[in-house]
Amino acid sequence: MKFDSVYYEQDSLKYPLGIHLWEMFQDLPWIPIENHNSIKEMQEKPNSEFGRMKRFLIVGTRKTHKYVENHKVSDYLVPYTSSGCTAMCLYCYLVCNYNKCAYLRLFVNREDMLDRLIKRSFKSERPLCFEIGSNSDLILENTITGNLLYTISRFAEEGRGKLTFPSKFHMVDPLLTLDHRGKVIFRMSVNPQEVISRIELGTSPLKKRIEAVNRMCEAGYPCGLLIAPVILVENWRELYTGLLEELRQGLTEKMKGQMFLEIILMTYSYVHRAINGEAFPNAPDLYDPERMTGRGRGRYCYRQESREECEAFLRGEIGRILGDVPILYIS
């Protein structure tokens, strides 16, 4: 992974991971900043610079540790070791929060965060599941930091309950030999290859994602798939039927026998349209005024009738092609 420069909070060099990153990227310019959340130089760049801004790496410490209740795959969403990404998915929900500043931020105080998480895992009467990958793609991050090796190994030995995270990347080989003790649920996000190529820019191809989740399953990790986000482009029915057929053919019998599905329809926004229109003028416009309606604060979601049509179609095709696979939710 190549970067043009590193912006860093000076306190981050007090941590072992901060020193490691300094040594790893010592040939790049290191630019001191006061706060990773507010870099004036970045905020003032035009939207057209969005893609190039992904080539900056931000290094700091995470100060916010608020756990948010979640009632899907996990019990809590946990702020963890990174936010943002180097990929450029045209619908990325982090853009709603960070606008064009959705570049990769690495937080080097991983010991503090995992200490807190392990302590929290013992405070409940029942084992909990913690989502640690809601703000970034930890498979991608791990290629720089090795944080998943640290996290999985230590939580397996010291933690209670489970961790989970999703990914759009295939670089799982370092995780395959870890002693995870079944405490980590891996979820691979999938979409038709045409959607990946045109909309999920900079992510792994579908075939490699399927191969990766097969390997994780074979290594004993509980695994699921996110069909996410479902985007109702003109030929969406054909595309998602094709996706399901490719999953049927490509997934191992072991994976098909134990997996679960999550399905999430796309949410879009005025901010996405503004950035994408200037940064990616040749990319498809994902705003569909006939199918979408306002969702507050400049966001759009599919109208109820479109959602119901999509859900009925996907449930039917999943049953026909993949059989009786559990669908945890469609949202």
Side-chain angles (χ1 to χ4, degrees):
M1 197 178 305
K2 295 182 178 180
F3 296 98
D4 290 339
S5 57
V6 181
Y7 289 75
Y8 75 108
E9 296 174 349
Q10 295 183 62
D11 282 353
S12 65
L13 298 184
K14 297 177 181 179
Y15 294 84
L17 180 56
I19 295 171
H20 172 72
L21 294 172
W22 177 277
E23 294 172 347
M24 177 182 291
F25 297 110
Q26 60 181 313
D27 294 336
L28 297 180
W30 280 66
I31 303 164
I33 55 175
E34 292 296 321
N35 189 323
H36 67 81
N37 276 321
S38 182
I39 306 175
K40 186 176 180 181
E41 176 185 343
M42 301 294 193
Q43 295 167 339
E44 293 178 346
K45 288 183 181 293
N47 288 338
S48 59
E49 290 290 304
F50 179 76
R52 283 180 282 273
M53 288 170 69
K54 293 281 188 168
R55 294 180 62 88
F56 298 125
L57 177 63
I58 316 301
V59 177
T61 59
R62 184 179 281 286
K63 290 87 174 175
T64 303
H65 301 280
K66 182 180 179 181
Y67 291 16
V68 178
E69 285 192 20
N70 186 45
H71 303 288
K72 293 182 177 178
V73 176
S74 65
D75 295 289
Y76 289 97
L77 306 179
V78 176
Y80 205 53
T81 50
S82 57
S83 72
C85 187
T86 60
M88 291 167 280
C89 300
L90 301 185
Y91 53 75
C92 177
Y93 83 94
L94 292 172
V95 168
C96 293
N97 297 328
Y98 301 119
N99 203 294
K100 57 183 170 285
C101 298
Y103 34 62
L104 180 59
R105 290 184 255 187
L106 301 178
F107 306 119
V108 297
N109 52 327
R110 64 184 184 186
E111 295 84 1
D112 300 337
M113 288 181 275
L114 191 52
D115 285 347
R116 182 185 299 263
L117 180 53
I118 291 171
K119 184 178 180 180
R120 181 66 181 83
S121 74
F122 285 96
K123 286 188 174 181
S124 173
E125 294 181 358
R126 63 178 179 85
L128 299 174
C129 183
F130 301 94
E131 163 69 83
I132 59 173
S134 61
N135 290 322
S136 186
D137 194 303
L138 298 185
I139 293 293
L140 176 71
E141 185 219 303
N142 188 67
T143 64
I144 304 172
T145 63
N147 274 340
L148 280 178
L149 280 70
Y150 169 80
T151 299
I152 292 172
S153 298
R154 194 176 153 205
F155 188 85
E157 183 174 349
E158 302 176 32
R160 178 173 179 255
K162 295 183 184 295
L163 304 178
T164 185
F165 59 90
S167 183
K168 291 184 175 72
F169 290 90
H170 70 279
M171 300 83 80
V172 300
D173 284 358
L175 312 184
L176 300 182
T177 57
L178 296 179
D179 181 18
H180 55 81
R181 304 184 190 181
K183 293 184 177 182
V184 177
I185 303 169
F186 177 69
R187 294 137 57 220
M188 180 60 80
S189 178
V190 295
N191 244 323
Q193 183 56 50
E194 181 176 322
V195 170
I196 293 172
S197 298
R198 300 179 65 211
I199 298 172
E200 296 183 347
L201 309 179
T203 65
S204 293
L206 176 61
K207 184 177 179 180
K208 288 190 175 183
R209 298 189 199 185
I210 293 173
E211 292 171 350
V213 76
N214 282 339
R215 292 199 299 274
M216 289 291 279
C217 180
E218 190 60 35
Y221 289 89
C223 293
L225 297 178
L226 294 93
I227 303 178
V230 176
I231 306 176
L232 303 184
V233 293
E234 184 176 355
N235 58 334
W236 66 270
R237 292 176 184 82
E238 293 82 2
L239 287 178
Y240 285 95
T241 293
L243 169 64
L244 295 171
E245 292 284 5
E246 193 159 349
L247 293 174
R248 181 182 63 81
Q249 296 169 13
L251 294 172
T252 62
E253 292 303 313
K254 181 176 181 180
M255 177 61 191
K256 286 185 284 189
Q258 64 94 63
M259 72 179 183
F260 58 87
L261 296 179
E262 304 164 73
I263 301 174
I264 305 173
L265 276 69
M266 183 184 72
T267 298
Y268 203 52
S269 75
Y270 173 84
V271 173
H272 287 108
R273 292 195 77 197
I275 292 175
N276 293 341
E278 297 180 41
F280 310 107
N282 297 320
D285 184 0
L286 301 183
Y287 176 62
D288 184 343
E290 294 185 2
R291 291 184 176 273
M292 289 180 164
T293 185
R295 196 176 184 176
R297 297 179 62 186
R299 300 189 184 191
Y300 312 112
C301 67
Y302 290 113
R303 298 180 187 274
Q304 187 62 30
E305 58 269 27
S306 294
R307 298 177 69 86
E308 292 174 356
E309 175 189 4
C310 178
E311 177 172 347
F313 176 82
L314 289 176
R315 286 189 183 276
E317 288 294 85
I318 288 168
R320 182 179 71 84
I321 297 170
L322 295 179
D324 192 25
V325 55
I327 302 173
L328 299 189
Y329 62 88
I330 299 180
S331 69

